[in-house]
Amino acid sequence: MSSGSELWFEEILEKENGHTFKIKIDNLIERVDSKFQRIEVYETVPFGRMLVIDGVIMCTEWDEYAYHEMIAHVPMFTHRNPENVLVIGGGDGGTIREVLRHPEARRVDICEIDGEVVRLSKKHLPTMSSSFDDPRVRLYTEDGAKYMKEHPSTYDVIIVDSSDPIGPAVVLFSEGFYVDMKNALRDDGIIATQCESFFYHSDIVERITGYAKKHFAVPGYYYTVVPTYPSGIIGFCFASKKYHYKKDFRPERVSPMQGQLKYYTPEVHGAAFTLPAFIGNRIKL
Ligand code: SPD
């Protein structure tokens, strides 16, 4: 982490390709080794505060909105009346912050396996974690996969804001978990899940969208631009039992929220599903 008198954080992105990403840091604010993982919060020079789990950048204050707005608003604006929402992971609070902008959301459950992520985010990342005290939010410090099995036919929207498929998040990328999510949704429910970069992880994108195709009436894949993530982009698997992300989308619902958002617009919503040829031809949605 140190280079002369300067301090740098370095994420090893693609070991096999010999590629890393470095960010100059002011200082390490706090490091905790929880029961599940190493959690670090840094003050960076260019990007504000940054949350890192097991050496992987989770979010920075500078560009987190591009991720959290897109993981939340695409399913929330596609569903006709998203009252009951479940977020799996998302312990920094950025995703629930966006979900709570929707007046339809009456109950927002968040199931984060590692309470230390929530504690450190509340302490050091207030712009993301300020919504945990909203009366519509219930926090469960539990295993999301187990929680899912125990709540059949409960949710209108399920959002999986996970880390990469290593450690405790592996199960969130399994076919069984997609079947359990389908069962935890109501009849017109929608899911959106963190689904990696199509440049670096096209195998994961193909496998996960395969589960969406197999088990849901309306499968989809969309992406956003996040400069501090590997390859500068990250995608989401969309899967719906009924509503189509374009045909059933009502752009006029976005207007009251438009002034609060920095990335998401009705036009971005549609455009995000338009994929480059190499990945579109491979996953064939
Ligand atoms: N490669 C890192 C992907 C991290 C995605 N989740 C981040 C959590 C932000 N709430």
Side-chain angles (χ1 to χ4, degrees):
M1 182 171 97
S2 87
S3 166
S5 58
E6 296 179 341
L7 296 174
W8 291 81
F9 169 83
E10 183 171 21
E11 178 175 336
I12 311 293
L13 296 177
E14 290 295 293
K15 223 182 195 162
E16 61 275 30
N17 294 334
H19 178 193
T20 71
F21 182 64
K22 284 174 78 169
I23 297 179
K24 196 171 181 182
I25 61 167
D26 262 336
N27 61 296
L28 170 64
I29 297 172
E30 190 166 351
R31 171 181 292 144
V32 168
D33 286 314
S34 76
K35 198 168 122 192
F36 300 100
Q37 52 209 353
R38 169 163 287 188
I39 309 160
E40 297 166 304
V41 181
Y42 290 93
E43 188 74 55
T44 76
V45 173
F47 303 135
R49 292 191 173 178
M50 175 170 77
L51 175 67
V52 173
I53 293 184
D54 283 342
V56 177
I57 298 169
M58 290 294 113
C59 41
T60 78
E61 288 180 318
W62 175 66
D63 59 4
E64 54 86 10
Y65 63 89
Y67 174 86
H68 292 125
E69 288 186 17
M70 289 299 280
I71 198 171
H73 298 310
V74 169
M76 291 296 287
F77 276 125
T78 301
H79 196 284
R80 209 51 68 76
N81 186 26
E83 287 186 338
N84 282 0
V85 180
L86 172 65
V87 175
I88 298 285
D92 51 73
T95 296
I96 59 167
R97 179 195 65 203
E98 296 305 319
V99 167
L100 289 163
R101 292 190 199 279
H102 292 255
E104 298 89 353
R106 293 171 56 180
R107 175 176 157 181
V108 179
D109 295 338
I110 173 164
C111 184
E112 162 63 61
I113 196 168
D114 194 341
E116 285 297 285
V117 176
V118 176
R119 188 181 70 77
L120 289 185
S121 299
K122 280 181 160 178
K123 193 170 164 191
H124 301 300
L125 302 169
T127 55
M128 279 174 255
S129 62
S130 57
S131 299
F132 280 102
D133 295 331
D134 187 295
R136 292 172 288 170
V137 172
R138 288 183 230 183
L139 171 64
Y140 299 92
T141 308
E142 284 180 36
D143 173 358
K146 183 168 170 285
Y147 182 93
M148 196 69 71
K149 282 187 205 296
E150 294 164 355
H151 293 81
S153 306
T154 305
Y155 293 103
D156 299 306
V157 169
I158 297 173
I159 297 171
V160 183
D161 178 9
S162 71
S163 45
D164 299 322
I166 37 176
V170 169
V171 66
L172 307 180
F173 290 77
S174 69
E175 183 169 6
F177 183 66
Y178 277 74
V179 172
D180 290 341
M181 282 197 284
K182 181 181 174 181
N183 294 334
L185 288 172
R186 290 171 165 172
D187 289 344
D188 57 354
I190 298 175
I191 64 167
T193 63
Q194 191 276 98
C195 197
E196 301 296 346
S197 159
F198 50 65
F199 278 109
Y200 286 165
H201 302 113
S202 53
D203 50 341
I204 295 176
V205 176
E206 184 177 24
R207 182 169 60 79
I208 299 296
T209 54
Y211 304 152
K213 281 197 277 188
K214 186 169 166 190
H215 297 291
F216 288 82
V218 186
Y221 184 82
Y222 66 100
Y223 70 101
T224 186
V225 177
V226 182
T228 57
Y229 282 166
S231 79
I233 60 162
I234 192 158
F236 307 98
C237 177
F238 173 100
S240 168
K241 287 185 168 180
K242 178 177 170 186
Y243 303 115
H244 190 276
Y245 47 87
K246 285 191 183 167
K247 292 181 205 144
D248 293 306
F249 173 59
R250 300 284 173 268
E252 60 277 8
R253 274 180 53 207
V254 183
S255 305
M257 206 187 288
Q258 197 78 79
Q260 304 166 38
L261 305 180
K262 288 162 75 178
Y263 190 97
Y264 179 94
T265 68
E267 293 75 23
V268 166
H269 178 119
F273 286 88
T274 303
L275 300 177
F278 75 90
I279 190 69
N281 292 336
R282 182 161 171 192
I283 64 179
K284 291 189 180 63
L285 290 168

